[in-house]
Amino acid sequence: MHKAASTSRFLIDISSGGEFADSESIVSHNCLLQQIVASHTAHVANWRQVLNALARRSIRIAEHAFSLRDVNTLEEASRVLVNLPLGEARQIGRYYHAIAISRIGQADEALSILEAVADNAPVAYRARAIQTLGSIHHRLGRHDEALRLYHEALRLASPENGRDLLTTLLVHLDVSCIKSELGDHRAALTDYQSLSPLVRIVAREDPFYFYGYHNELAIEFAESGRLAEAEAASAIALASPFAHAYPEWSETRDEIAAKRDSATPSVVAIARATEAGASQHAQPEHKAVRVSSLAVNSPERTFARKDCFQRSLVPIAPQRAIAQVGITKSILERVLCCIAPRAPPALS
């Protein structure tokens, strides 16, 4: 209203300033009007540039807060975006607000907001909103609904619809995680390894995904018995500036170490069994050896993918062995073969 009044007064002044002496005066006044209009237009354009710059800055802060699990900063950045006089910024702000409240357990409200964002936000954030909807359903154990949403997010993130590489990466990571949770570790590992080039591209803008990816890779290497590769991947994740916000990454390292420790006694036991066998063959007569029981701890572990990398130790009940040297030795050798370290699986 104030700008409109100023413009009106300006037009009245030039129209009531007396008669124009010649055509040059008319040209001169017209040029002045054009300059003033151009000045006002430039001012509006510069103001919009300022708002866009503020929106971009707030988005970067929100993404960094998301990476660090800093819910308070994430919520503050979302409020700035929601209050900007830019329609797209408001939708993006609602997206980050939904993530913030989902982190504090308000899943139902977050789902409702994300569904609205998926209908109204810029295409990149529509795709991310749908991917986040899928991740919430995933966390709630609704795998079928999560996979449906992941497929839709992948479609929106495709080159035909804007080529959103971050959403594409997140969807593939989520799908691989589901495969792992369902016990298909071979397929999960293959998927993770195939994502390495995409991870490196995305990490140029946001390094967090490089380190988070390596923790997931470490988990699957460990599940496949490839402990050296698991340790190397875990070390990369723990060397990141984000590691303090993800204590489960340290638990990944500890679980890998526990797997290696559990395999080491088996090698020693096999060597001792071989030596014992040689000494028995050297004896002229076999003597009955009484073996009361044999107890073996099998290091079977379950890695919980929601929050951390967990372990459960499952004991095998003791069984009474037959008190005959030949049969007892055969049983021992079979058991020891079962718990010996496995060779790495062949690459598919």
Side-chain angles (χ1 to χ4, degrees):
M1 180 64 72
H2 180 69
K3 285 185 179 180
S6 300
T7 304
S8 299
R9 285 196 298 272
F10 169 75
L11 292 174
I12 291 170
D13 288 342
I14 65 170
S15 63
S16 60
E19 296 180 359
F20 299 121
D22 49 37
S23 61
E24 291 183 2
S25 297
I26 296 175
V27 173
S28 177
H29 283 292
N30 284 341
C31 288
L32 180 60
L33 177 60
Q34 290 174 3
Q35 289 174 8
I36 294 173
V37 170
S39 176
H40 278 65
T41 304
H43 177 72
V44 172
N46 289 336
W47 179 241
R48 188 171 184 85
Q49 289 175 359
V50 170
L51 292 176
N52 285 331
L54 180 58
R56 289 192 296 270
R57 175 64 175 167
S58 298
I59 289 171
R60 287 197 295 270
I61 291 173
E63 285 292 325
H64 190 64
F66 170 81
S67 300
L68 290 173
R69 290 176 167 171
D70 184 351
V71 176
N72 292 333
T73 302
L74 180 60
E75 181 62 31
E76 289 177 9
S78 74
R79 281 199 297 268
V80 171
L81 289 163
V82 166
N83 285 285
L84 289 176
L86 300 171
E88 292 185 351
R90 288 174 177 170
Q91 292 298 326
I92 295 171
R94 297 184 70 197
Y95 166 75
Y96 288 115
H97 172 65
I99 293 178
I101 64 175
S102 72
R103 288 275 176 94
I104 59 175
Q106 300 178 24
D108 291 339
E109 185 178 351
L111 288 171
S112 177
I113 294 172
L114 289 168
E115 287 169 358
V117 172
D119 292 332
N120 302 299
V123 64
Y125 280 88
R126 287 173 57 200
R128 288 195 65 181
I130 294 172
Q131 179 269 327
T132 307
L133 280 168
S135 70
I136 293 175
H137 285 289
H138 181 177
R139 190 167 66 243
L140 296 174
R142 305 165 186 165
H143 287 169
D144 290 341
E145 180 63 9
L147 289 171
R148 183 189 70 80
L149 290 164
Y150 290 152
H151 178 75
E152 177 63 15
L154 207 56
R155 185 186 67 80
L156 283 176
S158 66
E160 295 79 10
N161 294 301
R163 194 175 181 82
D164 180 11
L165 296 181
L166 175 56
T167 299
T168 300
L169 174 62
L170 291 173
V171 168
H172 283 300
L173 290 173
D174 288 335
V175 172
S176 300
C177 184
I178 288 179
K179 290 180 181 179
S180 178
E181 289 173 352
L182 296 177
D184 193 353
H185 298 291
R186 184 189 181 103
L189 179 57
T190 299
D191 287 353
Y192 281 127
Q193 289 177 303
S194 70
L195 289 174
S196 179
L198 180 57
V199 169
R200 291 182 179 277
I201 294 172
V202 171
R204 293 171 188 168
E205 294 294 328
D206 193 337
F208 163 74
Y209 295 100
F210 177 78
Y211 300 109
Y213 161 77
H214 275 86
N215 182 71
E216 297 299 309
L217 196 60
I219 292 173
E220 296 310 320
F221 275 135
E223 287 284 6
S224 300
R226 297 164 63 171
L227 300 184
E229 291 161 290
E231 288 169 339
S234 177
I236 291 173
L238 290 173
S240 79
F242 305 97
H244 70 277
Y246 294 84
E248 61 267 34
W249 294 2
S250 296
E251 294 175 15
T252 299
R253 175 201 57 205
D254 296 342
E255 288 298 328
I256 296 168
K259 274 182 170 286
R260 184 175 290 282
D261 291 344
S262 67
T264 302
S266 302
V267 178
V268 176
I270 290 173
R272 289 179 177 175
T274 304
E275 294 173 0
S279 63
Q280 288 172 0
H281 284 299
Q283 294 176 358
E285 295 182 0
H286 291 296
K287 297 182 179 180
V289 179
R290 183 178 182 84
V291 181
S292 58
S293 63
L294 177 67
V296 181
N297 282 333
S298 174
E300 298 178 4
R301 292 172 174 82
T302 302
F303 302 100
R305 304 305 303 273
K306 293 181 181 179
D307 298 310
C308 60
F309 186 82
Q310 295 180 340
R311 173 185 65 180
S312 62
L313 195 63
V314 182
I316 296 178
Q319 297 181 1
R320 185 173 301 278
I322 300 174
Q324 296 181 13
V325 173
I327 298 177
T328 302
K329 180 174 178 293
S330 174
I331 293 173
L332 266 174
E333 289 175 345
R334 293 178 186 179
V335 172
L336 291 172
C337 288
C338 292
I339 63 174
R342 294 174 294 171
L347 293 176
S348 57

